[in-house]
Amino acid sequence: MLNVIALTVAIRRRGFVHGRGFAPRSCDTTAKRLAVVACAMAAVALIAPQASAQTYPAKAIRIVVPFPPAGATDVVTRVLADRLGQRLGQSVVVDNKPGAGGAIGSDFVAKSTADGYTLLLSTSSTHSIGPVLNPKTPYNVERDFAPIVHVANSTNVLLVGANVPVNSVKELVALAKAQRGRVNYGSSGVGTVVHLMGEMFARMADIEVVHVPYKGTALAMPDLMTGQLTYLFDAYAAAAPHVKSGKAKVLATTGSARSPHLPDVPTVAEAGLADYTAIVYFGIFAPAGTALAVTRLLSAETAIVLKQPEVIERFTNLGLEPVGGGPDQLGTIVRSETAKWTKVIRDADIRLE
């Protein structure tokens, strides 16, 4: 800001700007002065963002979570906020703004001032699935957001009830083909990532199954354990108590590599569907136009936090893999996951009810 003031003072001292406008000496002189002032204004515009970036952060930072409290996204954000605040020397507060599948909170950040003080921690649901399912989504991911850091990935598990007579992916596929149209699977709702994982599995396995949507996988789990549902994709952290009690079985995991929680359980790809990989990514975004110096600082500091042993342990217990990739990596995964789920949605003609 001092640089801006100094520049303005210099302009006045040279006589280019007067208290009542431009001095009307001649057309040529006026034109020259206009040109100089235009250049000065451009310089001020360039200096101002740099000045703000150098003093950032000067106040509390807000991270918006577009989902309700206590969910995975909320827990991840709170773990990061506490430690990121310690590194930045400012409070980092979490602000839950749920609704419309995450669109309300995401749109709030998209339309916020691009000063680095309002951020979004969001997922595949809001940035790679929701906008495809709903053409009326009020924000455009590429246009309205600046990616900051790829926080983590989450893989799910393929579960069957303990009484289902299968113990592998191949056996489940064989059962579905033998009982065409009678095998079903549950999800947390139409168009959710769990639904899309199930739809992609069915298409790649070439099986005809029935989708049964619930308002959350927690409501689907009892039906899985009693045999009303044949299979379900869910987060391992949520399924673990039922697996350990013997009421559900894990057939495979959905990631590209085996889960550290289940080293003896194959991935779906290893179990027979070679190209099957399904994750949920978590990333921090800022409104488009946020100063590059600010986004780089936030990215670097978050990456450091994600390497802290206690953070790694907390994420691992949630079934998450910390990543810490920068803006380019986050942008790449957003585009690749959007392309994947767009194909699934269009091939299956999935529409919001």
Side-chain angles (χ1 to χ4, degrees):
M1 184 58 70
L2 291 175
N3 290 334
V4 177
I5 294 171
L7 180 60
T8 303
V9 170
I11 291 171
R12 289 183 178 275
R13 286 179 176 174
R14 292 292 301 271
F16 296 125
V17 181
H18 300 272
R20 296 184 180 178
F22 298 102
R25 293 187 179 178
S26 69
C27 291
D28 289 342
T29 302
T30 300
K32 289 178 181 178
R33 290 173 176 171
L34 284 170
V36 172
V37 172
C39 290
M41 291 176 67
V44 169
L46 290 172
I47 291 170
Q50 293 173 3
S52 63
Q54 290 169 0
T55 59
Y56 179 88
K59 61 181 181 180
I61 298 168
R62 170 170 53 173
I63 303 180
V64 172
V65 175
F67 302 107
T73 310
D74 180 68
V75 174
V76 165
T77 308
R78 292 180 188 279
V79 170
L80 288 179
D82 179 52
R83 290 157 181 81
L84 191 58
Q86 293 174 19
R87 290 198 58 83
L88 295 174
Q90 290 287 348
S91 297
V92 178
V93 298
V94 178
D95 185 5
N96 296 89
K97 290 187 179 297
I104 289 176
S106 299
D107 187 51
F108 175 84
V109 175
K111 292 178 171 57
S112 295
T113 303
D115 56 7
Y117 291 101
T118 302
L119 309 175
L120 175 73
L121 200 149
S122 207
T123 71
S124 309
S125 296
T126 59
H127 277 54
S128 290
I129 296 174
V132 179
L133 281 169
N134 182 11
K136 295 183 179 180
T137 298
Y139 55 86
N140 179 286
V141 173
E142 292 284 346
R143 180 194 66 212
D144 296 333
F145 293 97
I148 293 178
V149 59
H150 181 182
V151 172
N153 291 332
S154 171
T155 58
N156 281 16
V157 290
L158 171 56
L159 301 159
V160 295
N163 296 326
V164 177
V166 302
N167 292 295
S168 69
V169 170
K170 288 184 179 180
E171 290 178 0
L172 176 61
V173 171
L175 176 68
K177 288 186 174 181
Q179 300 183 12
R180 188 177 182 87
R182 288 183 288 163
V183 167
N184 59 22
Y185 74 96
S187 82
S188 51
V190 174
T192 61
V193 68
V194 174
H195 175 202
L196 300 186
M197 286 181 182
E199 188 61 42
M200 185 167 69
F201 178 85
R203 290 186 165 270
M204 292 181 69
D206 192 25
I207 56 177
E208 184 178 318
V209 291
V210 178
H211 171 228
V212 183
Y214 291 77
K215 292 182 178 180
T217 54
L219 297 177
M221 192 62 70
D223 286 350
L224 182 81
M225 293 186 291
T226 59
Q228 294 183 59
L229 283 178
T230 308
Y231 66 95
L232 172 71
F233 286 91
D234 200 5
Y236 179 68
H242 309 295
V243 174
K244 292 175 181 177
S245 70
K247 296 179 180 179
K249 297 181 287 188
V250 178
L251 301 186
T253 59
T254 65
S256 58
R258 294 194 179 195
S259 166
H261 291 290
L262 302 164
D264 297 326
V265 176
T267 65
V268 174
E270 288 178 317
L273 300 186
D275 296 325
Y276 189 99
T277 302
I279 65 166
V280 176
Y281 64 79
F282 296 77
I284 296 179
F285 300 83
T290 301
L292 186 59
V294 170
T295 59
R296 284 177 174 171
L297 173 66
L298 289 168
S299 180
E301 292 297 332
T302 306
I304 291 172
V305 167
L306 289 168
K307 292 179 182 177
Q308 295 176 354
E310 62 272 23
V311 173
I312 294 173
E313 181 181 5
R314 188 73 183 276
F315 274 37
T316 301
N317 290 338
L318 291 169
L320 301 175
E321 175 194 356
V323 178
D328 290 343
Q329 182 173 330
L330 179 56
T332 296
I333 196 168
V334 168
R335 289 186 289 273
S336 64
E337 289 295 292
T338 300
K340 173 193 288 184
W341 296 128
T342 296
K343 185 177 188 308
V344 172
I345 290 166
R346 290 178 178 171
D347 286 352
D349 193 25
I350 297 172
R351 302 181 186 184
L352 294 178
E353 296 176 345

